[in-house]
Structures are given as structure tokens and as C-alpha cells.
Amino acid sequence: MLVEDAPRLPAEQRARVLIDAQLVAASWVVQDKGQVNLFAGPGVAVREVVMAPGHGRIDYLLYIDKQVVGVIEAKPEGTTLSGVEWQSAMYATGLPEAHAKRAVTVGGRLPFVFEASGTETHFTNGYDPDPRARQIFAFPQPASLARVLRGVDDAPDAPTWRGKVKDLPSLDTDPLRPAQIDAIQGLESCLAEQRFARSLIQMATGAGKTYTAVTAAYRLLKHGGFGRVLFLVDRNNLADQTLAEFGNYRTPDDGRRFTEIYTVDKLSSAGMLASSNVVISTIQRVHRVLSGAEAPDYDDPALDGWIPGTPVTVNYNPAMPPETFDLVIVDEAHRSIYGVWRSVLEYFDAHIVGLTATPGRQTFAFFQQNLVSEYTYPQSVADRVNVDFDIYRIRTEKTEQGGTIEAGTVVPKVDRRTRAKRYETLDEDLDYTPSQLDRAVTAQGQIRLVLETFRDRLFTEIFPGRFSVPKTLIFCKDDAHAEEVVTQIREVFGKGNDFAAKITYAAKDPKGQLQAFRTSASLRVAVTVDMIATGTDVKPLECVFFLRDVRSAQYFEQMKGRGARTITPADFQAVTPDAEVKTRFVIVDAVGVTERDFVEPPLNREKGVSLKQLLDRAGQLVLTEAETATLASRLAALELQLTPDERTELDTVAGVPLRTVIRGLIDAVDPDLQARALAAAPGQDRDDVIAGLVETAIEPLAANPELRARILELRQTHERVVDEGADALIDAYGVVDPDRARGIVESWRAYLDDHRAEITAIQVIGEARTRAVPFASLKELADRIARPPHNWTVDMVWAAHEAVDVGRVRHNDHARLTDLVSLLRYSLGVDGELVPYAVRVRERYAGWLLQQEQAGVTYTEAERWWLDRIADVIASSAGITDDDLDTAPFTERGGIDGAIRDLGEQAATLLHDLNEELTA
């Protein structure tokens, strides 16, 4: 009977017709029980088979490769299928004895059990742990169930991915950030628990969502029993970026690239290749393939940006059946994908993972509120993943009020399609609103005024002290608007074509232009509409410029996020030579988008308060919530400027990593964490609860005056005020100023007294007197004195002593770090003469050799080679350890093994004696 006749049939018969058609579409051969031919195909569905006594008649008995594997219980359309699962379960255990001999069973029952009504299908896989029914779009093809059966032979204890994910190997966390670890472990826990069919991962833009997804995909393909992954991107141009991410991924097992082990393809006109393990596509292209059409191989903005007015429907496609993918990853899971495109996702019998920085209410609803990990933008600032931002507002009359063109005015009119220009005289006044600006009307004067204001304020208010235009991304309303803006910005700045470029889908070679924008020092401004709005990395970007309004919180956050990325100082300076470190970016708002309710303020909220004032208020426990956020922003910016040694220094003084302190400050002003704290303290005043969170957060700073002082000390090192005013010369001379030298000596001694309790090198010499000073302690002292307000070098302090204490200080042509030992011993009264450290070591070494000779000890040439070089290392490093023997110059003669060979059993004793004698 034809499917077209089904609507006129009784409900139960109509269901049978529909089910027959669905089975045939899925490559099953449907037969009556009197015409059974198990050789007719790999999958045969036999109608109306009588089961064992007491088990009734099953509607369909399923065979794969001539073996009974499952049953289908058919019910009329509208029947709640969960209410008949007991019936199909009974049939699954009630095979007649003749059929039982050719049956595949698990636990005494057939493994594949279906309930169907023609419009709804439920499936229970008996090989899953704790088997339970789930709704599927259509019956699996026989080949798909045959693969499951082969999996039983390979891994009888866990033949399906739902079993395998319960025993995944430990995650290699070395290449991962904490947020990525949380996301992967959260996803794997969700898969193992099987409480949800969908998982949502919220990660701030720039935190490595794609790398996280690739790592998870690799583990699930290799260890989790997953066969194929669908990776959905927001724009087709991002498919290339994602493909590169998979290709660059090095596996933790043997270091091979992901693509050396698994096949990764973009969905193309060839359809989905059977060999593909990962398929990358936009959801529009998947819908196109499911509809029976081809997905083009080229970028097609009209296709990939298409959002239908009503929800789409999907039909069964045997070339891409619902069981094609075990995992669907939706990158940038915040768009209309869960509204009009929802049926495409629900077509697949797969676990769906959403990745987004900005989940909305609809997103949470689709993912069943199952947020497996959360990593917010402020948290990413604390972790040096992203930088904080400032907002600069530009307002004009036409932007906010619209305008009027008077009757009789000759105006140019531009054809939208051909861009041909003609001139007309207006018959009547033309009033236009702000919303018509740059769409129906182009006000060139308004665009120029905004851009001129940006130019004039750029180096005085937006990026004071800079002279090179920061990398700037301008968002426009449409391609025609972008064309006008790129023309005008070149004129406003008086620059050529290589200064600013339009990067839209309609532009020539947009991918090449985008790469140039990332790497070229000359291309400073990119003008776009949507192409760079989501998922595209341009790390040197410092300015995000809105010439278009945005009504979606999620889309705004994505656009804002283009400027958020951190970048190494070397890479940053390669394209922006007048900057040292990227510590922030600026949103230039010419349309009022940042005044919408959904826009979260930056952390840096109290710009008029200095870092010193903030730290002082923290020490007094009077920091406000806004000041706490500002302090977090300032410390995060400072930490980006620190050298690794300076960061280690601060972490040591703090007792915890500085980023942990910053994270605590950010958590104290996090609205979600505040809400949880308020819920945990019913009846308490909100201000008191927030004040408690702030006090806990600032305790590491409030209880550690030394940490606050060290922060300010380092801030002065990295941030200096430029006084551009003229100076007046008082005098110039080449002689040594004894008063200045005396001032340095006195300040030096005062410094040693003031910091005796906190600087290890001073403590060692001042208290122990005979102990060697660790080289790291000398470096710490050198770094400290080199900072403002002193800005001392070892040479400077030495020369000052030489000028003041004439006759007691030996000349030092070039003072070394180890000469700090001599300066400390002299200043603290241990030595009566200030002698360069290397000279002192050589003198002591000569004296030690003389003592050995007088005691009758002689050394061979090979032994003297080792002893001379040990003395040289002590002279340059203030000591020597066993490990130093495995470095140059000792490696020339075999390192530690060579020392033992040439010095024999006395090697360790000689090393100890020279350390004691030469550093005392």
C-alpha cells in the first residue's frame, strides 16, 4: 500500500504503512511471514511473527545477516510509546525455539528493541549499560546495527560508546589550561553518567574552545567508542580555521597530528565521505545535504548566513542517516541554531555539545540547563587569557536624531546593485531617522565627523602617548556602508590603500586580507560587516569600533571578543612597534550600543583612582565593589607586563600565585557568585554579604603590606609618566659629584637597614656571616634596587663607594652581579676593604693552593683543570653545586662522571672545600 493512501486508513493500519515505508527507506527488506527470504538483503523485517506461547504476536521481527536481532512493536499514531515498552520487552524475551537457534541475544533477550507509531520511534539498545529507550528520528540502517554487533566481538564488556566512556583513561592535563581541563572532564562525566543527551560548555572567547573540542573529540574517537563527529561552525570561513586546528593538534599518546590518525573533511559537493571521522560544516550546509542538494565547495555567504523565517523541517536521507554521527559539536552555540534550525540537530542520534562564550536563555533551554563547565570573561582576564577593555563614546546629532535634506537640494543617488550614481533634485524635504542612517541614507558628513573625532582623540585620550594607529576593526551596517567608511578613513588619516581594507564576503580575497591584517605592520584598519564578527582571531587588535547597532547580547559579546585576545610581546611589537605589551583594548562606540542593558561594564570602572590608592584602601578594608573590580583589572594588566622572574617574585611574596589573588577579586564581584552567596545567607542585608565577599577577596593584599609595596615597586618599573614639557639646563660637567656619590652610599646603607627582614641576601651575610649567598638571592636584590625610585646598578653603587671611601675600595672596571656579595660584606662590616668578588675568589684560591702545597698535596694537570674551572664558576656565580658539573665548561670532559674519573673519591670533598673556602 502506498504512503499517500495512509491518511485514509484506520490508525493502526496507517502506522504499519508508515513504518513499512520508513524501514524500506533505511534499506530494510520488509516481508510477510509467509514469504520469508532471509537472503533478500542484509537486513530483513518480517511482519506478524508468532512468538513463544504466552508472548503473543510481534509486529516486526528483525534479522541481520540471517540472524534474529530485534523486534518492533507498532502502535497507532498518537500512542505514548513509553507506555508499551513492557510489551516490546516481553517479545524480546519470547522467541520461539526455532528462531532462538538463529538469534543474537544479550542477557537472554534480543538486543535491539523498537516501539514505533509511524510518526515517532523509540529505540533501546540492549548493549548499552542500563539500557533505556530513547527517541530517534528513524530506524537505523542494517549496516549500522551490524557495526554494533561487530563491536560486541571486539569489546564484549562495553561494546557501545555509552559503555566505553565510563572507563576513559586519565586526561593529560599538561598542554591544557584549567578551564579546558574543567570543560573536558565535565563533558566526560556527563557522558558517563548518561543523565543528559546534551552538554553546554561556556568558555570566554579566546579561552581555547576549539582546542578543547579537538582534545575531547580525539579522546572519544580513540578511547570512547565514538565513530564519527560532526563539527558545526558559525560561518563557512571558520571551517578552514577549524580544519587547521585539527591538523595542528598533536596527540598526547605519540605526538602524531590528529589528521595522521583520523580523516577530517569539510562537507562539500561530494557529500560526506565514508572515510571521514570528523566532518566540519555550517548547519545550513547540513540542511542542504539532508534536503538532497549539494553543499558548494566555495564560500557562499547567502547560504551560510541564511536564517529562514520559520523553523525548517528535515526528511530522512539514506546518504546521511540519523546514526551517522555519535557526537555533534556546535561551535559558537548562541545563534538562531536552536530556533529555526533545531530540527537539523535533533535529526541525529548523537550527543550534542554546545560551545559558546555567551549562552542565552534559548541556549540553556535547548541544552536542558546542563552546563558542564563555566568560564567567564572576567575570569579569563584574571588568567591572562584575555585583556580587560575600556569604552570610548562618540556622539553626533545625526547619529542620535537623524536629519533633514531640504527640498531643492541636488543629491546623489546610488543604485544598491550596480553602485551606479545619478543626481536628482529633491521635490520635498527628506526627513530621515537614525535607523535609516547608512541604510536608506548615507550621511557622509556624519561618517567623516566620527572618524575625524577618532583620529583627533586617538593619541591623547584613547591611546595616550602612542604614535601609530592601533589595529582597529570597524563594524558597519552593510557592504555599501563599509565601502564608504573604508574610503573615508583613508582620507581622514591621509593614508593609502595599504592602511585600511574592507574585509567582507563581497571583497576581493577576504581571507588574504584577513591574514594580512593579523600580520602586516602597515594594514592598521579593517572594515567589516559580519565576516570577522565571530570566531576569528586577530590577536594584535586593540580597538573595536562600532558604527552599527547590535540588539543581541550574544552577538555583541562575540564582536567585542575580537579585541580581547592576549598576545606575546614579541608578536605584538612585530605589528605594532610603538607598543610594548597588550594590556587592554578599547571599544569605540559611535552608535550607543554599549548603553544597552545587556552590556556588562569593564572591570576597570574607577579610572580616576590610582593603583596606590586602591591598594591603600584594600589595606584599610574600605574597598568598594567597583574599586575591587578596578583593582582586579589593574593587577591583571600589570601581570601581563611582568617578566617571568618578576612574576615569580610576586608569587613568592604573596604566598600564592598573583593570578589566584586576581581571580579572588573577580569572583567577589561576579553577579552569579554573589547571587549564590545571597541565597546561602537568607535574611542578611545584600550590602553586608557583598562586603564580606570583598573582604575575603582582598585579605591576601590587606594582610600583606610587603606584597602591596612590591606591587607598587614593580608598577613603577613598567609604567612611567612622560613629561613632555621643556627643561632648563643648570650645569654640565664630567667630574664625579662627591655629594651625589655620598647620597647613593647613604641611601644604599639605609636601604639595607630598611629591607633586612625581607631580602635573603642581606639576612645571609648580616646574620650568618660565613655562609655563601645563593645566586637567586643576589639576582632578587639586583632586580629590587634597579627599580624606581633608586634605579641603581651594581656599577653605580660600587663607583659611589669608590668616590666616598678613597683608599678602601679597589677599582672595578665592570661590576658583576656577584659583586653584590662584596658590597654587602663591606657595608655590613664583615670586610674592611671593598674588593671585586672575582678578585677576592682568585686571591683565596691562590691561598688555598699554597696551603695544599705546604701540606704536601699536589695535583695533576687533569685535576688542576677541574679545580681551576670550579674556582671560575664560584667567582661568577658565588658558589657551585653538583648539578653545575653537568653544564659548560665541565661537559667538555664528561660532566659529573668526568669529575669522578679525574678527581676520584675526593671529588665531593674538593667541591665542598672550595665552596667553603672561596665564598667565606
Side-chain angles (χ1 to χ4, degrees), residues 880-895:
I880 191 168
T881 66
D882 294 348
D883 292 338
D884 291 331
L885 295 179
D886 270 332
T887 62
F890 304 110
T891 49
E892 295 176 21
R893 296 203 177 183

Side-chain angles (χ1 to χ4, degrees), residues 818-839:
T818 51
D819 287 320
L820 279 172
V821 176
S822 296
L823 280 166
L824 287 171
R825 293 175 63 89
Y826 178 74
S827 300
L828 296 173
V830 178
D831 292 338
E833 183 184 14
L834 182 55
V835 180
Y837 186 78
V839 173

Side-chain angles (χ1 to χ4, degrees), residues 252-369:
D253 308 305
D254 55 16
R256 285 187 291 170
R257 294 184 186 274
F258 189 108
T259 47
E260 292 181 82
I261 306 171
Y262 298 109
T263 304
V264 182
D265 294 305
K266 292 167 61 178
L267 191 62
S268 65
S269 59
M272 190 194 68
L273 303 179
S275 60
S276 297
N277 300 108
V278 178
V279 177
I280 303 170
S281 177
T282 62
I283 199 165
Q284 289 89 344
R285 289 169 183 256
V286 174
H287 177 258
R288 188 177 177 89
V289 169
L290 289 177
S291 301
E294 288 185 353
D297 296 328
Y298 51 85
D299 281 348
D300 186 349
L303 170 62
D304 297 308
W306 177 54
I307 301 177
T310 58
V312 300
T313 57
V314 293
N315 297 312
Y316 180 81
N317 186 331
M320 188 181 283
E323 67 271 19
T324 298
F325 302 104
D326 296 312
L327 184 71
V328 176
I329 299 173
V330 187
D331 197 9
E332 304 300 350
H334 59 280
R335 306 293 294 277
S336 61
I337 197 165
Y338 307 115
V340 294
W341 296 110
R342 180 171 183 145
S343 61
V344 178
L345 293 175
E346 293 179 340
Y347 173 84
F348 296 107
D349 181 26
H351 190 92
I352 304 174
V353 179
L355 306 174
T356 183
T358 52
R361 185 178 303 171
Q362 192 177 28
T363 307
F364 279 117
F366 179 84
F367 284 97
Q368 305 164 327
Q369 313 297 324

Side-chain angles (χ1 to χ4, degrees), residues 106 126-131 148-167:
V106 53
Y127 291 116
D128 287 337
D130 303 315
V148 176
L149 295 175
R150 289 195 295 273
V152 178
D153 296 332
D154 297 336
D157 294 333
T160 68
W161 70 255
R162 290 175 173 83
K164 287 183 171 66
V165 293
K166 291 181 176 293
D167 191 28

